Amino acid sequence: VDSFEAIPKAFCPLHQAFPKATTLTTAHIGLQQSMLSQETIPHPVAFTAETLQRLCVDAVCPLTGYLPPRANITEVQEAGRQVWTYTCVIPTAPYAALRLDNPISDGRVLFWQLVAFGLDGFLNWGFNQWGGIAAMQPIPLLDASTPAAAPYEQLPYVPESEWFVSTDNTSDASWLKGDGKVLYYGAEGPIATMRLANMRDGMDDADYLSMLRTMSPTKAAAALARVSDGQHMDRVCRNPETVIAAREQVAESIEQMQPRPGGLNVSIQ
């Protein structure tokens, strides 16, 4: 509890000096569900609008595995505060995460969950955590002209020798499983990973869902329900066909409801 008193000591003077500045904390506040069991862990500092006001916190950002009940999220949002979330090494499966030992589709489904929970934002803690970069050599992209690339057909790829599972390349931290590294250190610039591509698709999906919500909250909710129940972050849809079908459902609904100037038939792919 004492450590929480450091938050208003930093944030309240900041509010006074810069009223328009937004303060955000990743401190865990209120009742939390254990990521290792289904038990609810009490916390001496309640997750309420009053708590955040006392702490001079405009936005609170707990890990996905420590999100409070939906009722608490709604309460603080209605009081003008924001609720974000993030992943950082933890939580692990069954929660969605950007680790290499999670299904690659998690990076996309995660954003469906954010919309289903009505959250205000996602904090990405690291894209290019290149440990020991001073000692690293830039990674060359290989293609089909290189004999070793034959199994990968015509697609350029990063050599397996450079697939550092650990985020920190200079020490034995294999338990990190690539978290915080969705860009590789390429010889001709950053090399995007498939995990980053799935995050991009997830953000596109979230924009689509937000667009449909303004047109028809009922249709948006129906599509969302195919991927996330909006109540349990540890229940993750890992069937890519289901996600793509839900995305197409959203696109078709938007297309049907959106006016077409001059009668032009626009197809959203």
Side-chain angles (χ1 to χ4, degrees):
V1 178
D2 293 340
S3 61
F4 277 86
E5 298 309 314
I7 297 176
K9 288 181 180 178
F11 284 173
C12 291
L14 184 63
H15 265 176
Q16 293 177 357
F18 305 98
K20 295 183 179 180
T22 299
T23 57
L24 180 148
T25 181
T26 56
H28 294 160
I29 302 173
L31 294 176
Q32 299 154 25
Q33 183 174 320
S34 171
M35 291 186 291
L36 301 178
S37 69
Q38 295 302 313
E39 297 180 359
T40 298
I41 304 172
H43 192 284
V45 180
F47 191 102
T48 63
E50 290 77 13
T51 295
L52 300 184
Q53 182 177 6
R54 180 177 66 83
L55 298 176
C56 295
V57 170
D58 298 316
V60 62
C61 184
L63 284 161
T64 55
Y66 286 139
L67 281 168
R70 285 291 302 277
N72 296 81
I73 293 175
T74 301
E75 175 198 349
V76 300
Q77 289 175 325
E78 290 178 347
R81 312 285 166 168
Q82 294 186 4
V83 182
W84 291 40
T85 193
Y86 76 112
T87 64
C88 180
V89 183
I90 57 174
T92 56
Y95 290 88
L98 304 174
R99 298 161 53 99
L100 285 167
D101 53 349
N102 275 64
I104 198 167
S105 61
D106 278 13
R108 183 173 192 170
V109 173
L110 182 59
F111 287 90
W112 285 75
Q113 291 185 311
L114 301 184
V115 176
F117 271 73
L119 300 176
D120 297 293
F122 179 75
L123 171 66
N124 189 79
W125 80 272
F127 277 102
N128 58 336
Q129 297 297 310
W130 298 329
I133 193 169
M136 290 178 64
Q137 296 296 319
I139 299 171
L141 267 181
L142 304 183
D143 55 34
S145 63
T146 305
Y152 299 89
E153 301 178 348
Q154 302 299 318
L155 295 176
Y157 76 102
V158 176
E160 290 187 34
S161 61
E162 304 294 344
W163 289 3
F164 291 105
V165 174
S166 168
T167 297
D168 182 355
N169 301 329
T170 61
S171 63
D172 182 15
S174 59
W175 55 273
L176 287 169
K177 301 296 183 184
D179 191 61
K181 184 190 291 182
V182 291
L183 287 174
Y184 284 100
Y185 177 39
E188 299 179 2
I191 302 171
T193 63
M194 292 179 69
R195 287 173 294 148
L196 182 59
N198 272 267
M199 291 176 67
R200 174 206 61 202
D201 290 345
M203 286 185 273
D204 283 347
D205 294 344
D207 283 342
Y208 255 16
L209 287 163
S210 297
M211 186 184 303
L212 182 57
R213 265 184 172 172
T214 63
M215 300 176 174
S216 173
T218 301
K219 290 187 176 182
L224 264 174
R226 301 179 68 173
V227 180
S228 173
D229 64 4
Q231 299 291 334
H232 304 88
M233 290 294 287
D234 58 344
R235 296 180 184 175
V236 182
C237 175
R238 294 196 165 102
N239 185 334
E241 292 181 358
T242 299
V243 178
I244 292 173
R247 157 80 177 219
E248 292 176 349
Q249 179 180 340
V250 173
E252 289 172 0
S253 296
I254 293 174
E255 185 181 42
Q256 292 168 3
M257 302 178 70
Q258 196 170 45
R260 302 182 183 90
L264 180 63
N265 185 15
V266 180
S267 177
I268 302 177
Q269 301 296 325

